[in-house]
Amino acid sequence: MTADIFFFIGYIFIILILFLIPFTKRIFEKNIAELFTISSGYLFLLADIKNESKNKIIFDLSWAELNTSLVFIGILLIIIGVIVNFSQKNKNLSYTQMQTELQTTQQKFKNIEKEYFKLCSDNIRVIFENFFSLTDGQGRVSIYKFDDNQFKLLGRYSNNPEFNKIGRGNYSSNEGFIAKGWQNETFKIDSCPKWTGKGKEYKDFMKSVCNISDTALRKIRMKSRSFFIYRINNEDSRPPLGIIVFEQIKPQPIDQQLIKNIILNHEAQIQFLIKSMKTIG
């Protein structure tokens, strides 16, 4: 246990003191849902600013190792806060009021998903730092979870801001290189044609290798020429969790051994990222 544990002990101590003061106690009792939300925001803040810290906190675990756990607990706290908030509302709300409350709640969940996307992308940036150092701003890593027979984007990072945009958030389970990686556990391809003009050569090549439409290819912002798809399996006999897509504009092959070594060292963390998103996605 190090001094960093006081980021948690100090926060709990402050809350307990405020509960001992009659005035602040009454405020907290009437707004307990907001207390959960504030606590969730505090954990998200710690997860963000301490994302790369190697300082040990407790049980010989560092901030970086506990990052996804902080995110998951933060998500649970805000969900509890939403539930408590609903339970405290007047049961005789008018239809208009109920609609307003529903819209507010939906917006809160959208905000949770946006915050999670950022934190997941931050983890990608740190975990695959060695990959990005070799791409000269021409590489990107995306993590997808498999849900409802499609792949849903959880997080994405590239050194090039133009490639960081979400674009298509969902992909069919039988479309593109993603489908091949899902079916075969890994899939690699390189030396794809460069997109020129209207991209006929690029589109013809892609369609000869996988199932994908011209429309889907036109919408892709990053016309990559080298890909490596890696499936993330569950720790038991349950279906796989999702996939990671590595891609780069350069036609040279992606270093598969480097990627496999990185994933081997962070597999539990990546599994946790995908599983925690399943609770709200």
Side-chain angles (χ1 to χ4, degrees):
M1 184 181 299
T2 66
D4 281 38
I5 192 64
F6 287 99
F7 278 99
F8 300 103
I9 295 176
Y11 180 77
I12 294 172
F13 186 69
I14 291 171
I15 296 298
L16 290 176
I17 289 177
L18 292 175
F19 262 104
L20 292 175
I21 301 172
F23 176 72
T24 52
K25 179 182 179 182
R26 287 194 298 271
I27 295 176
F28 281 158
E29 288 176 343
K30 291 180 180 179
N31 301 277
I32 192 69
E34 282 70 16
L35 181 59
F36 281 108
T37 302
I38 292 170
S39 299
S40 173
Y42 181 66
L43 289 180
F44 283 147
L45 177 64
L46 288 179
D48 198 11
I49 65 177
K50 293 287 189 177
N51 187 38
E52 300 181 39
S53 175
K54 302 300 182 182
N55 292 345
K56 301 296 182 181
I57 308 174
I58 191 172
F59 302 133
D60 204 33
L61 296 174
S62 68
W63 286 103
E65 292 168 326
L66 290 175
N67 185 266
T68 50
S69 297
L70 293 177
V71 174
F72 185 60
I73 295 171
I75 291 170
L76 287 178
L77 286 177
I78 201 167
I79 291 174
I80 292 171
V82 171
I83 294 172
V84 171
N85 185 54
F86 263 116
S87 68
Q88 290 180 329
K89 294 298 182 181
N90 191 326
K91 294 182 179 180
N92 297 319
L93 288 173
S94 68
Y95 177 77
T96 302
Q97 289 174 310
M98 291 176 65
Q99 286 290 97
T100 302
E101 288 294 329
L102 178 60
Q103 291 173 1
T104 301
T105 302
Q106 289 174 335
Q107 186 59 49
K108 285 184 178 180
F109 275 102
K110 286 181 181 179
N111 291 339
I112 292 173
E113 290 184 344
K114 288 179 181 178
E115 192 65 26
Y116 186 90
F117 185 89
K118 179 183 180 301
L119 288 168
C120 187
S121 300
D122 286 342
N123 273 271
I124 292 173
R125 177 178 62 86
V126 174
I127 292 173
F128 298 104
E129 180 182 6
N130 290 339
F131 167 75
F132 294 118
S133 67
L134 301 175
T135 62
D136 300 323
Q138 299 186 62
R140 183 171 75 181
V141 178
S142 305
I143 295 182
Y144 296 83
K145 72 169 180 175
F146 184 73
D147 186 44
D148 194 23
N149 206 34
Q150 60 182 334
F151 296 102
K152 298 182 179 180
L153 183 65
L154 296 187
R156 167 174 286 168
Y157 182 76
S158 169
N159 287 338
N160 187 333
E162 284 299 310
F163 300 148
N164 265 331
K165 299 175 182 177
I166 294 179
R168 289 180 64 189
N170 299 339
Y171 288 85
S172 171
S173 62
N174 63 355
E175 182 182 26
F177 296 150
I178 290 178
K180 288 185 171 291
W182 180 254
Q183 295 162 8
N184 302 310
E185 195 163 7
T186 62
F187 176 78
K188 68 179 181 68
I189 191 169
D190 53 71
S191 302
C192 301
K194 185 177 181 179
W195 180 285
T196 56
K198 295 185 178 180
K200 184 180 185 307
E201 185 181 3
Y202 186 90
K203 290 186 287 187
D204 289 345
F205 176 83
M206 292 298 179
K207 289 189 292 184
S208 71
V209 180
C210 65
N211 172 39
I212 192 166
S213 66
D214 282 353
T215 302
L217 288 168
R218 282 196 302 271
K219 289 182 178 179
I220 294 174
R221 295 177 181 273
M222 184 175 175
K223 304 298 193 293
S224 299
R225 302 177 64 190
S226 180
F227 298 82
F228 179 54
I229 318 295
Y230 190 98
R231 189 178 76 199
I232 300 299
N233 293 318
N234 227 315
E235 68 269 19
D236 50 30
S237 60
R238 287 174 295 175
L241 297 170
I243 58 168
I244 308 181
V245 177
F246 302 87
E247 54 187 311
Q248 61 183 17
I249 297 297
K250 296 187 295 185
Q252 289 80 10
I254 291 172
D255 189 338
Q256 297 176 60
Q257 194 56 53
L258 169 68
I259 299 301
K260 289 178 180 179
N261 289 341
I262 294 173
I263 293 177
L264 182 64
N265 291 329
H266 295 88
E267 189 168 19
Q269 184 178 357
I270 295 169
Q271 288 174 338
F272 190 88
L273 278 172
I274 299 175
K275 285 182 177 180
S276 60
M277 186 57 181
K278 282 181 178 289
T279 64
I280 61 172

